[in-house]
Amino acid sequence: MLIDWSDEYFIGIPRIDEQHKMFFEGVHRLHKVCVANEGEQVVLETLVFLENYVRGHFQDEVAFMREHEYPRVEEHRKLHAKFLERYLELIGEFKESGPSQGLAVRMGEMVQGWLVDHIAEADRAYAKHVMERANRQQ
Ligand SMILES: [Fe+2]
């Protein structure tokens, strides 16, 4: 089951929060096209769209962390890379076996599960750093 966006996922950085919301929406859209059996091409396009969106979002996050001298940026980058690896595996699986309810459910759960955990821990950690740094500089 996919969960809906909730404001409890806000980390307090509007630009990033907006991207996280879009990320959530992308997962819902992906799940919808899989379940609705809209055909292989549509699913693949949605997968690739989300992949590109996520890549852009990760780049933006990393640039933001560097801008604010977050010390754990490399560690964070690795988390992103690991996610992309798993995501690409799912795309590979999809290309091999085509759309199925099972794969749709697993994709949704993997992507959303990762996102929710990642926001709650890793993203919150850099947001905290940025806020504390801003307070010190005041
Ligand atoms: Fe992140």
Side-chain angles (χ1 to χ4, degrees):
M1 261 295 274
L2 287 189
I3 43 177
D4 287 321
W5 172 266
S6 147
D7 288 351
E8 71 184 82
Y9 304 130
F10 278 135
I11 61 169
I13 299 159
R15 189 176 87 212
I16 304 286
D17 285 330
E18 219 31 65
Q19 292 178 6
H20 283 155
K21 257 180 150 170
M22 290 287 289
F23 195 157
F24 245 80
E25 254 171 53
V27 181
H28 276 268
R29 200 169 124 215
L30 175 62
H31 192 257
K32 213 167 109 195
V33 296
C34 285
V35 172
N37 229 336
E38 292 205 34
E40 211 154 311
Q41 199 48 39
V42 179
V43 178
L44 197 57
E45 277 166 19
T46 313
L47 277 167
V48 172
F49 173 83
L50 189 60
E51 181 196 332
N52 290 330
Y53 186 79
V54 166
R55 282 184 193 279
H57 165 62
F58 286 170
Q59 270 172 19
D60 212 28
E61 253 189 2
V62 167
F64 183 79
M65 286 179 227
R66 291 205 167 119
E67 198 182 306
H68 294 275
E69 295 174 354
Y70 181 53
R72 290 163 68 192
V73 60
E74 273 317 303
E75 193 185 317
H76 200 114
R77 257 166 48 87
K78 281 186 191 142
L79 296 174
H80 288 168
K82 229 184 182 139
F83 169 81
L84 273 171
E85 215 174 89
R86 279 168 74 193
Y87 187 78
L88 291 179
E89 267 169 34
L90 282 174
I91 296 190
E93 217 179 295
F94 172 80
K95 281 183 179 159
E96 247 173 54
S97 54
S100 75
Q101 198 87 2
L103 187 58
V105 171
R106 279 202 295 124
M107 278 197 287
E109 279 171 0
M110 184 297 258
V111 177
Q112 197 175 58
W114 181 85
L115 180 58
V116 168
D117 290 348
H118 182 78
I119 292 176
E121 288 183 27
D123 288 347
R124 263 190 205 294
Y126 80 73
K128 188 168 172 263
H129 162 85
V130 171
M131 311 268 178
E132 285 170 357
R133 188 169 173 266
N135 285 337
R136 277 200 304 273
Q137 285 174 346
Q138 260 171 16

